[in-house]
Amino acid sequence: MKITRLQPIILHAPVTRGGIADSTHAISHWGAPGVAIHTDTGLVGYGFSGTHAHLPTDKLIVECAVDSYGPLLIGEDPREVRALWEKLHKHSPIYWVGRAGITHLALGAIDIALWDLKAKAAGLPLWKLLGGTATKRVEAYNTDGGWLNWPLETLVSDCRRLVETDGYRAVKIKVGSPNPSTDLRRLEAVRAALGLEIRIMTDANGKLTLPDAIRLGRRLAEFDVVWFEEPTTFDDVLAHQRLAEAIETPIALGEQLYLAHQFRDFIHAGAVHYVQPDVVRLAGITEWWQVADLAHSYSLPVVPHVGDMCQVHQHLCFVHPGCALLEYIPWLRDWMRHPAQIRDGHFVAPEAPGAGMEPTEEALRTINRV
Ligand code: 0YR
Ligand code: MG
């Protein structure tokens, strides 16, 4: 099997109720810039990054994938994905100018598409190719009821519906409101509505200063919060280490980290407890796996962030021993040929061959108009 062509694709999918916000971003669409990798067998592999759907930026990502990495892939066998990853990562001209950021997002999309081809060539869903089992329990927690722009009543009724109607046993709510007392009031209302058995996570999306994070973080234990996610500056190892020493609630982070080495530094410093690698920000499944193994060797749970809207991560969770829980956000549900399925608050192991990011025919027709 040989690679013949890379095709750029940009999907922009509307988010829930036309607009969501966390403490640092307000968005109307989720972006999935990526590639289709064509081969001489007729098999096509699909891989996407995850963005806030800013078209000029998404164009940079797909141009990087097709024009900078693409030429190194033509004529290669996509099944040699790990060897190709090394070649693209270390021996492309782009290594000199970018080992993180847009170049890394582009490499992530390519890596996912290569694994997709490898799994399709074997006729297996990725989790099966990697040696996983459908009998493993992978629980879903839902983030889509906890946005910071939902008024208190909507927040409470959405979280209630997720638990009472949809069967989730864990939900995440955003914090980092301009006034911390608002966060505490919202948290108190959600805890009162859901009862003591439902797990509640909180996420500040990197907004707070260290003293503000310490002040809010000290209050979270009152509501039995599972974790405090991205409390302060994304890349600041020392601040998270100091915070971890100052509060009782465990710290979760990783969705903004590009490199396995960054994870190593956070983990080694004791600055993270729930490790949240993302295949779309790390350079794909290949680098994600290194992080998951590393976290597992420190007895830390791996709870991936779903920049892929969980389409790929669900496969990895059916394999990796560090993964028992995965985020769920439904924004690509109508755009993917085989959208993730949740039953009784747990992921159902996908049956279709591949890595899970193949768009529907209709989605592919839509992108041609972008
Ligand atoms: C909106 N999950 C997250 C969205 C979400 C972000 O910025 O991307 O809230 O991905 O933090 O944990
Ligand atoms: Mg987050």
Side-chain angles (χ1 to χ4, degrees):
M1 176 158 52
K2 292 208 178 331
I3 295 170
T4 53
R5 183 167 69 90
L6 271 71
Q7 173 196 353
I9 302 179
I10 297 173
L11 303 174
H12 283 177
V15 301
T16 306
R17 297 196 189 111
I20 62 91
D22 58 35
S23 70
T24 32
H25 316 97
I27 59 171
S28 63
H29 288 74
W30 186 251
V35 286
I37 300 184
H38 295 262
T39 64
D40 60 359
T41 61
L43 284 179
V44 183
Y46 292 91
F48 292 91
S49 189
T51 68
H52 286 167
H54 179 244
L55 190 58
T57 309
D58 288 352
K59 280 184 176 160
L60 290 176
I61 296 168
V62 295
E63 270 171 26
C64 175
V66 174
D67 297 336
S68 293
Y69 290 118
L72 285 95
L73 285 170
I74 306 304
E76 296 283 3
D77 184 337
R79 291 168 298 186
E80 297 175 359
V81 45
R82 283 172 184 272
L84 286 175
W85 190 91
E86 284 295 320
K87 175 179 162 180
L88 294 179
H89 183 52
K90 295 253 171 76
H91 303 291
S92 89
I94 215 160
Y95 190 60
W96 183 253
V97 298
R99 289 175 296 282
I102 281 169
T103 60
H104 226 59
L105 300 181
L107 184 51
I110 288 174
D111 179 83
I112 292 166
L114 293 173
W115 280 102
D116 187 42
L117 278 167
K118 189 174 174 68
K120 282 172 173 166
L124 297 171
L126 183 65
W127 61 265
K128 214 175 246 187
L129 179 81
L130 295 175
T133 169
T135 59
K136 189 177 171 198
R137 299 288 279 162
V138 179
E139 188 182 354
Y141 79 86
N142 199 308
T143 298
D144 202 36
W147 302 110
L148 214 54
N149 59 326
W150 282 188
L152 182 65
E153 311 74 62
T154 316
L155 172 76
V156 169
S157 62
D158 271 17
C159 287
R160 262 209 141 96
R161 174 179 46 77
L162 289 173
V163 169
E164 290 167 12
T165 311
D166 300 350
Y168 293 94
R169 308 290 295 162
V171 296
K172 187 158 84 187
I173 73 169
K174 297 293 178 177
V175 294
S177 305
N179 187 337
S181 66
T182 312
D183 290 331
L184 294 169
R185 226 177 24 249
R186 288 162 70 87
L187 197 47
E188 187 176 21
V190 172
R191 174 53 82 205
L194 300 186
L196 292 176
E197 298 205 346
I198 301 301
R199 278 157 295 145
I200 299 174
M201 293 79 163
T202 55
D203 186 355
N205 287 92
K207 166 92 168 187
L208 306 173
T209 62
L210 179 57
D212 285 349
I214 291 174
R215 196 171 304 117
L216 181 61
R218 285 194 169 136
R219 302 290 306 276
L220 298 180
E222 290 167 33
F223 306 102
D224 197 20
V225 164
V226 179
W227 72 58
F228 191 10
E229 179 171 326
E230 291 198 311
T232 186
T233 318
F234 303 130
D235 301 307
D236 192 340
V237 178
L238 200 56
H240 286 93
Q241 186 187 35
R242 299 224 160 120
L243 181 66
E245 284 160 5
I247 67 173
E248 209 177 294
T249 302
I251 291 172
L253 57 82
E255 68 177 82
Q256 291 282 340
L257 303 183
Y258 288 94
L259 305 173
H261 287 118
Q262 290 177 293
F263 279 92
R264 179 203 60 193
D265 293 346
F266 273 95
I267 290 171
H268 186 70
V272 57
H273 303 103
Y274 290 87
V275 181
Q276 301 179 304
D278 191 323
V279 287
V280 312
R281 196 172 297 273
L282 290 158
I285 294 161
T286 303
E287 193 169 16
W288 183 97
W289 205 265
Q290 295 174 25
V291 173
D293 279 349
L294 176 71
H296 191 54
S297 76
Y298 275 77
S299 299
L300 299 177
V302 179
V303 190
H305 172 258
V306 292
D308 63 333
M309 296 295 117
C310 67
Q311 291 294 116
V312 177
H313 286 112
Q314 56 174 341
H315 287 267
L316 306 180
C317 288
F318 279 104
V319 188
H320 201 281
C323 300
L325 184 66
L326 177 59
E327 185 171 23
Y328 182 70
I329 304 178
W331 299 334
L332 288 183
R333 192 176 46 195
D334 300 333
W335 297 68
M336 291 284 132
R337 214 169 136 198
H338 304 288
Q341 306 285 337
I342 315 271
R343 201 176 298 143
D344 300 327
H346 289 76
F347 283 86
V348 179
E351 283 302 323
M357 290 207 98
E358 182 157 342
T360 61
E361 295 284 330
E362 203 194 329
L364 289 172
R365 275 197 300 278
T366 312
I367 52 110
N368 289 334
R369 293 202 299 273
V370 166

